[in-house]
Amino acid sequence: MEARTLRLSFLLVTALLLLLFTRSWIHLPYNTPSENRFQSNIPNIKNPPKGPKPNSIDDHNARTPLHPLDPLTVQEINRARSILYSYPPFSSSPPNSFTIHSLVLQEPHKQLVLKWKTGDPLFPRRASLIAILNRQSHIMTLDLGSESVIRHEISSSSGFPTMTNEEMNYVTSVPLTDPKFNRTVRSRGVDLTDLACLPISGGWFGVKEEENTRRLIRVQCYSLQGTSNFYMRPIEGLTVTVDLDTKQVVEVSDRGRGIPIPAAANTEYVYNQNTHMTKSSNSPRINPISIEQVKGPSFEIENGHMVKWANWEFHLKADPRAGVIISRAMARDFAGSVAMRSVLYKGMTSELFVPYMDPTEAWYFKTYMDAGEYGFGLQAMPLEPLNDCPRNARFVDGVFAAADGKPYVRENMICVFESYGGEIGWRHSESPITGMGIREVRPKVTLVVRMAASVANYDYIVDWEFQMDGIIRVKVGLSGILMVKGTPYDHMNKVPEQEELYGTLLSENVIGVIHDHFVTFYLDMDIDGLDNSFVKVNLERQQNSGSETPRRSYLKANRRIAKTEKEAQIQFKLYEPAEYHVVNPSKLTRVGNPVGYKVVPRATAASLLDHDDPPQRRGAFTNNQIYVTPYNESEQWAGGLFVYQSHGEDTLAVWSERDRDIENKDIVLWYTLGFHHVPCQEDFPIMPVVSSSFDLKPVNFFERNPILSVPPNFEKDLPVCKADASA
């Protein structure tokens, strides 16, 4: 027994030493243990700057909320933490026995927010908190004024809360405590100090009882030797299952014996200026481009969260799960009423579903829910000035709570900027036939709110773009690096004809696995008020028989108001075209049309998985491209409140089957943007941005097009830039 204890102690000490050299996915740039990583994220709290940093909105320590929807401040997070730590059973438990998985503002009821005006006193500030203690998920509401707990429930859901960053960091070192894992890594020719490991959520498949009772995660590792791009060097087939609560190895599986580690050659992506200069003769020349606003930006960010620009104003905040939340988006019609008119009460990324199409043992479980499992906002990285965002951008930080409840700052998480890429918003030139020398053009200048989340290998860029013609464009860009599979094959002529690769051979010993991306958006539309209806406008061919003209057919727009949820479950069909309107039937234009907005889809994709496949049961909110539900404060996350290892019993698809009334009600529109990705060699060793979008476009909302209120550009108003002498 004594010898066994000594051996375990030796292994633990060895693992801790190796942790100093082994890099986990979430703190690669820092090269520090996970404990120090969070200290490095809170300089504004422990060492507040003497003055505001360039482009910073505020000093977080001095921040006080001024709007009912403002996120929790540093002081409020600290107060919420104190309330929890003094509340039984947490007060009687060791601090390291429980973890805080979510600590955010409990938003006031919508009706109260709609009545609030600038200068009014704020409603009582409350915090929504989710914590795990003794393997149970506790849901709590804390009143920050009275410093009391006013709601406390223990979840009966099948799922678990979003992982914490600390868990994701720590779990990648746990495999090093297992001798079998260490032997396997060495047998593959990889030094333990060259490991880079990823925490991989395992979904739920219902085949093992432990899936229902334990929070489990898979860990897979890569070789860093010779490249920063370790993703291209997988130790294929080696999977370690870890218990997130006990931090112990449950199982080590090695299905990759005989598969070599792909070479590091031609995989590096980190820019090296010296190396680049020596190769400049073979590199394309692109002179720098920058947008300069000599009079300053046209937008304002008041009190850190209220954005005002052109004919738009809205509330903006960072969120650890959704990333960015846009609230109270209102537009002004300069040609009609000068009052601000409601368009969108709340818009956000609700969930991301990313299933990989490889059913083999080391890959079948890769069916990620990036928001509910990892936290889309938690994985948002600081944006890089000049490259992520142009010179004229302003930056907004996120203030979040760590697993122990202490606040930290995610600097430069969001940027806001005016964008102009030479596009035209509107133009018309009269033909010489008319004899009218008219040439009218309006430049297309837009306001962009941007964030980028790096969820392990993949980077997601999300833009909310506000346009002067009343359009809100929501754009998603996919980039980063592929998650690849190791293979013994280095050429397609060596692959047996009957063998399924589940992807594309991208380079020697590297397969890019086919996968999907689905991004579901929550859009609480309030078109000129709460009571709205969803109208499907079918474009149908009509025969023109018996007409006086030789025309045989034409298209007719047939409008149908959806009365219940099932009537608003929409799957796009190319040969059954339709428009999808949200209208306010009680507000009419001057000529009698109901005011509204419509969803305008662009390139998208639908899930082709079997509806009974466990990943699709959990991701059933992608079964349709559009859902419409009645507003419900508890229904904001398409995959359910607790997504991790959930069974799919609390999703948007389940709620919608209740078939509730939605006509002339406060309704929420859900839109899923999809991508099928069949990798190609141009995706190696990095993946350039692939993007798509959808529009929220006014339809009879304005009395005339608001872009006519925008003046054209004039030479006298623009800065004069001189070329460099060496140009």
Side-chain angles (χ1 to χ4, degrees):
M1 182 69 179
E2 183 179 354
R4 183 170 179 267
T5 302
L6 287 171
R7 176 173 173 77
L8 286 172
S9 299
F10 171 77
L11 288 171
L12 286 171
V13 171
T14 301
L16 289 172
L17 288 172
L18 285 168
L19 177 58
L20 298 177
F21 301 100
T22 306
R23 306 182 197 183
S24 65
W25 75 307
I26 211 162
H27 63 277
L28 281 169
Y30 302 97
N31 293 312
T32 57
S34 58
E35 293 82 5
N36 292 333
R37 177 214 175 228
F38 278 86
Q39 296 299 321
S40 69
N41 270 331
I42 55 174
N44 291 17
I45 300 172
K46 287 202 166 185
N47 301 297
K50 295 179 180 178
K53 64 182 181 180
N55 291 335
S56 178
I57 300 301
D58 61 347
D59 175 0
H60 296 283
N61 279 308
R63 190 66 185 279
T64 58
L66 297 171
H67 188 283
L69 299 177
D70 282 357
L72 295 179
T73 64
V74 167
Q75 298 95 323
E76 289 176 324
I77 292 174
N78 280 325
R79 192 177 308 146
R81 181 177 185 269
S82 297
I83 296 170
L84 179 72
Y85 275 65
S86 60
Y87 175 77
F90 297 91
S91 59
S92 58
S93 303
N96 60 357
S97 65
F98 59 88
T99 49
I100 296 173
H101 292 256
S102 176
L103 178 53
V104 297
L105 174 74
Q106 177 74 55
E107 294 184 354
H109 293 305
K110 181 176 178 179
Q111 292 280 8
L112 294 176
V113 175
L114 291 174
K115 293 177 182 177
W116 184 87
K117 295 180 176 59
T118 302
D120 289 351
L122 293 183
F123 308 110
R125 296 281 286 178
R126 293 174 176 174
S128 173
L129 187 146
I130 296 173
I132 289 183
L133 172 65
N134 298 327
R135 293 184 181 269
Q136 292 181 313
S137 301
H138 296 252
I139 307 169
M140 308 169 70
T141 302
L142 315 180
D143 188 293
L144 300 179
S146 63
E147 298 190 351
S148 61
V149 176
I150 59 176
R151 176 197 178 207
H152 182 191
E153 299 175 5
I154 296 177
S155 171
S156 59
S157 169
S158 64
F160 298 102
T162 304
M163 290 183 287
T164 69
N165 275 340
E166 290 90 335
E167 287 176 331
M168 288 182 266
N169 269 313
Y170 186 89
V171 75
T172 57
S173 66
V174 172
L176 293 165
T177 65
D178 189 273
K180 179 182 177 182
F181 171 81
N182 294 339
R183 286 195 303 270
T184 303
V185 170
R186 291 191 187 99
S187 71
R188 297 287 195 92
V190 178
D191 194 298
L192 292 176
T193 59
D194 284 331
L195 282 181
C197 298
L198 301 180
I200 299 175
S201 57
W204 175 83
F205 292 86
V207 294
K208 297 179 181 179
E209 179 58 31
E210 60 192 20
E211 287 184 290
N212 300 321
T213 58
R214 305 170 73 175
R215 280 199 309 147
L216 302 175
I217 192 165
R218 270 76 165 187
V219 178
Q220 293 184 337
C221 299
Y222 303 75
S223 173
L224 268 167
Q225 186 180 25
T227 180
S228 304
N229 194 353
F230 61 87
Y231 299 102
M232 295 298 110
R233 306 202 70 205
I235 306 174
E236 187 55 48
L238 179 59
T239 306
V240 182
T241 303
V242 175
D243 187 310
L244 273 168
D245 293 310
T246 65
K247 301 178 176 64
Q248 293 179 341
V249 172
V250 175
E251 181 184 11
V252 177
S253 172
D254 183 13
R255 300 300 182 98
R257 296 183 187 91
I259 298 178
I261 309 296
N266 299 317
T267 63
E268 186 57 69
Y269 62 83
V270 176
Y271 179 76
N272 184 312
Q273 186 170 5
N274 293 330
T275 303
H276 185 78
M277 293 298 289
T278 61
K279 297 180 179 180
S280 60
S281 60
N282 296 323
S283 302
R285 178 185 176 183
I286 301 177
N287 291 330
I289 300 174
S290 179
I291 294 179
E292 307 298 334
Q293 292 181 287
V294 293
K295 296 181 181 179
S298 306
F299 66 92
E300 298 176 299
I301 304 180
E302 295 181 353
N303 305 319
H305 298 288
M306 279 302 303
V307 181
K308 296 183 177 181
W309 174 80
N311 54 338
W312 285 104
E313 68 175 51
F314 54 89
H315 186 274
L316 163 70
K317 68 179 174 184
D319 182 82
R321 183 164 176 172
V324 171
I325 295 179
I326 303 290
S327 300
R328 301 289 284 126
M330 296 185 286
R332 178 179 284 112
D333 183 359
F334 289 102
S337 170
V338 295
M340 301 303 297
R341 299 169 62 193
S342 174
V343 175
L344 178 73
Y345 180 78
K346 186 174 185 177
M348 65 180 185
T349 304
S350 179
E351 191 53 84
L352 299 93
F353 177 39
V354 188
Y356 280 76
M357 304 303 165
D358 185 338
T360 59
E361 183 67 23
W363 278 78
Y364 77 92
F365 50 83
K366 296 182 180 181
T367 55
Y368 308 104
M369 301 278 196
D370 285 337
E373 293 175 340
Y374 293 92
F376 201 46
L378 290 180
Q379 308 314 318
M381 296 293 109
L383 295 166
E384 287 294 315
L386 303 184
N387 292 295
D388 276 326
C389 310
R391 189 195 297 272
N392 61 329
R394 296 282 303 278
F395 291 86
V396 179
D397 300 338
V399 178
F400 300 147
D404 61 0
K406 293 180 180 178
Y408 69 94
V409 176
R410 176 67 79 206
E411 293 186 348
N412 292 0
M413 176 178 159
I414 302 167
C415 70
V416 183
F417 60 93
E418 287 167 287
S419 176
Y420 174 60
E423 295 183 55
I424 298 170
W426 169 79
R427 81 173 313 279
H428 178 66
S429 294
E430 276 297 339
S431 166
I433 297 174
T434 66
M436 301 169 63
I438 295 176
R439 292 198 300 272
E440 286 288 323
V441 186
R442 301 294 187 273
K444 186 171 185 175
V445 179
T446 64
L447 185 74
V448 177
V449 176
R450 172 172 294 168
M451 68 151 286
S454 299
V455 190
N457 58 304
Y458 254 103
D459 289 52
Y460 295 88
I461 305 105
V462 178
D463 287 354
W464 289 79
E465 184 179 61
F466 294 82
Q467 303 184 10
M468 286 184 283
D469 54 5
I471 290 175
I472 302 175
R473 176 164 295 166
V474 185
K475 182 179 178 181
V476 176
L478 310 179
S479 190
I481 302 170
L482 289 179
M483 180 170 283
V484 301
K485 179 178 182 176
T487 177
Y489 306 118
D490 59 11
H491 197 281
M492 284 301 297
N493 62 14
K494 296 181 181 179
V495 181
E497 188 173 326
Q498 70 278 11
E499 183 166 342
E500 176 63 72
L501 294 182
Y502 304 108
T504 306
L505 188 67
L506 304 178
S507 185
E508 291 81 358
N509 310 116
V510 176
I511 293 174
V513 177
I514 297 169
H515 57 282
D516 286 342
H517 296 265
F518 298 103
V519 187
T520 298
F521 288 89
Y522 172 96
L523 304 164
D524 181 3
M525 307 294 292
D526 281 357
I527 307 301
D528 261 346
L530 290 176
D531 295 334
N532 291 179
S533 295
F534 178 74
V535 181
K536 184 182 179 187
V537 183
N538 296 303
L539 296 175
E540 298 174 351
R541 183 177 63 202
Q542 304 292 312
Q543 297 302 127
N544 195 35
S545 58
S547 171
E548 297 178 355
T549 72
R551 184 71 176 267
R552 294 187 177 184
S553 61
Y554 63 97
L555 292 184
K556 182 179 180 180
N558 290 317
R559 293 167 172 81
R560 181 183 177 187
I561 299 173
K563 297 185 180 298
T564 64
E565 289 176 279
K566 287 186 179 180
E567 293 180 12
Q569 295 175 356
I570 304 296
Q571 293 181 347
F572 297 155
K573 299 176 183 179
L574 183 62
Y575 285 96
E576 296 180 18
E579 290 191 353
Y580 312 100
H581 297 190
V582 176
V583 303
N584 187 330
S586 65
K587 298 289 181 69
L588 304 179
T589 64
R590 188 180 67 252
V591 296
N593 292 311
V595 298
Y597 261 71
K598 63 181 177 181
V599 179
V600 182
R602 292 177 181 265
T604 191
S607 178
L608 303 179
L609 294 180
D610 191 310
H611 285 194
D612 290 328
D613 194 354
Q616 190 60 34
R617 284 169 58 187
R618 299 176 69 235
F621 52 87
T622 64
N623 289 346
N624 298 295
Q625 285 72 59
I626 291 177
Y627 290 89
V628 179
T629 61
Y631 174 80
N632 186 322
E633 286 183 359
S634 67
E635 297 176 2
Q636 298 194 34
W637 307 109
L641 178 62
F642 294 130
V643 171
Y644 201 93
Q645 289 178 212
S646 68
H647 301 180
E649 79 280 12
D650 182 32
T651 69
L652 168 61
V654 173
W655 310 331
S656 180
E657 285 300 307
R658 297 169 185 163
D659 207 22
R660 296 164 290 188
D661 291 339
I662 58 172
E663 184 180 10
N664 206 19
K665 304 284 186 182
D666 187 3
I667 57 176
V668 176
L669 187 144
W670 307 73
Y671 183 84
T672 294
L673 186 62
F675 301 80
H676 294 309
H677 190 178
V678 180
C680 60
Q681 286 186 234
E682 288 76 11
D683 295 328
F684 175 89
I686 59 165
M687 201 194 95
V689 175
V690 175
S691 62
S692 190
S693 62
F694 66 93
D695 290 350
L696 300 176
K697 184 176 182 179
V699 53
N700 303 318
F701 185 81
F702 299 103
E703 292 293 347
R704 67 170 191 168
N705 197 294
I707 206 168
L708 284 175
S709 302
V710 179
N713 282 334
F714 296 99
E715 190 72 32
K716 64 182 178 63
D717 298 324
L718 301 176
V720 177
C721 300
K722 295 183 179 180
D724 187 85
S726 62

